[in-house]
Amino acid sequence: MDYQLAIENAPDTVPGGTGILLLHPSIGETDRIDTDFFKTDTDHFLIVSTRTTAREVEQKLEHYDVDESRADILDTLSVERGYSRWRTDNVHYVSAPDDLDGIVTQVTDFLESHEGKLRLSVDSVTELAYYADVDGAYDATRKLLDLLDKHDAVGLFHLSNEVHDAETIQRFRELFDGVVELDLDGGVEADF
């Protein structure tokens, strides 16, 4: 199954199982790439949010006019920070961003319980590495990419290119089928 991509300078379509690394500056405007990724050719999508709460993700989807009925959100922050949690059918929680096994389990559950064209966003791998460690984030990312392949889904994984050294960035790059690089001015380069 092929998926349309609405990412500037990237291929028009990618096959199911494709993992895309979004390299961006820390203050880069990733929202438009993320939300265009969800809007296009998608039956259901899951956002693994390690930087913002579920409520903030919902506000982003509403602001960018993304169909929230197709969205599931995995909030990794609210439990640890003691924020109020409103569990619904499409909002899920793990205890903290370093609960990598819990994140992989939740993604597995999402992929196994939905049909059609499925997309995953991990925002962000940088935060996983910060809360757990680089090796843990790398292993979790590899497991998530294997799940995408198994379920014929596609995924977009955020990684800040200002936080990690060149060796770490290259290590992650090698996991992915495609890399999209966003610069400070909003320019987009893609390598597939």
Side-chain angles (χ1 to χ4, degrees):
M1 166 174 14
D2 284 348
Y3 287 77
Q4 293 176 6
L5 277 187
I7 299 175
E8 187 182 339
N9 297 321
D12 291 337
T13 62
V14 293
T18 297
I20 302 165
L21 180 64
L22 175 59
L23 281 173
H24 60 86
S26 296
I27 57 169
E29 182 51 55
T30 60
D31 286 355
R32 73 181 161 89
I33 292 175
D34 228 10
T35 54
D36 285 348
F37 180 73
F38 302 137
K39 285 183 187 180
T40 309
D41 198 22
T42 305
D43 293 311
H44 302 282
F45 61 90
L46 171 64
I47 299 170
V48 177
S49 184
T50 63
R51 293 188 313 117
T52 57
T53 65
R55 186 169 298 155
E56 291 167 302
V57 172
E58 289 168 337
Q59 290 168 348
K60 176 174 89 170
L61 296 177
E62 186 177 327
H63 177 77
Y64 284 91
D65 198 29
V66 178
D67 182 357
E68 292 181 58
S69 70
R70 296 187 209 163
D72 274 50
I73 300 166
L74 176 57
D75 179 335
T76 70
L77 291 175
S78 291
V79 174
E80 180 188 55
R81 294 189 180 169
Y83 297 152
S84 59
R85 298 175 299 283
W86 305 100
R87 185 173 300 280
T88 66
D89 288 342
N90 68 332
V91 176
H92 314 278
Y93 298 91
V94 294
S95 59
D98 63 356
D99 182 2
L100 302 177
D101 290 339
I103 291 169
V104 171
T105 297
Q106 290 281 347
V107 172
T108 302
D109 291 348
F110 170 80
L111 293 170
E112 290 179 350
S113 63
H114 291 82
E115 294 183 355
K117 292 193 170 183
L118 307 177
R119 294 183 188 238
L120 169 70
S121 168
V122 178
D123 187 7
S124 93
V125 175
T126 296
E127 297 296 320
L128 294 180
Y130 173 78
Y131 284 98
D133 57 45
V134 171
D135 288 341
Y138 180 89
D139 289 342
T141 299
R142 189 176 39 76
K143 289 174 184 174
L144 295 176
L145 290 168
D146 288 345
L147 287 169
L148 294 180
D149 193 43
K150 178 180 177 184
H151 293 278
D152 208 24
V154 294
L156 184 67
F157 293 69
H158 296 233
L159 187 74
S160 173
N161 55 15
E162 295 174 345
V163 173
H164 305 285
D165 61 32
E167 182 181 328
T168 300
I169 291 171
Q170 185 58 32
R171 185 177 175 204
F172 277 98
R173 283 182 84 110
E174 290 171 359
L175 285 175
F176 289 88
D177 304 299
V179 178
V180 173
E181 292 192 58
L182 177 66
D183 66 28
L184 275 172
D185 299 324
V188 176
E189 297 288 331
D191 179 22
F192 281 76

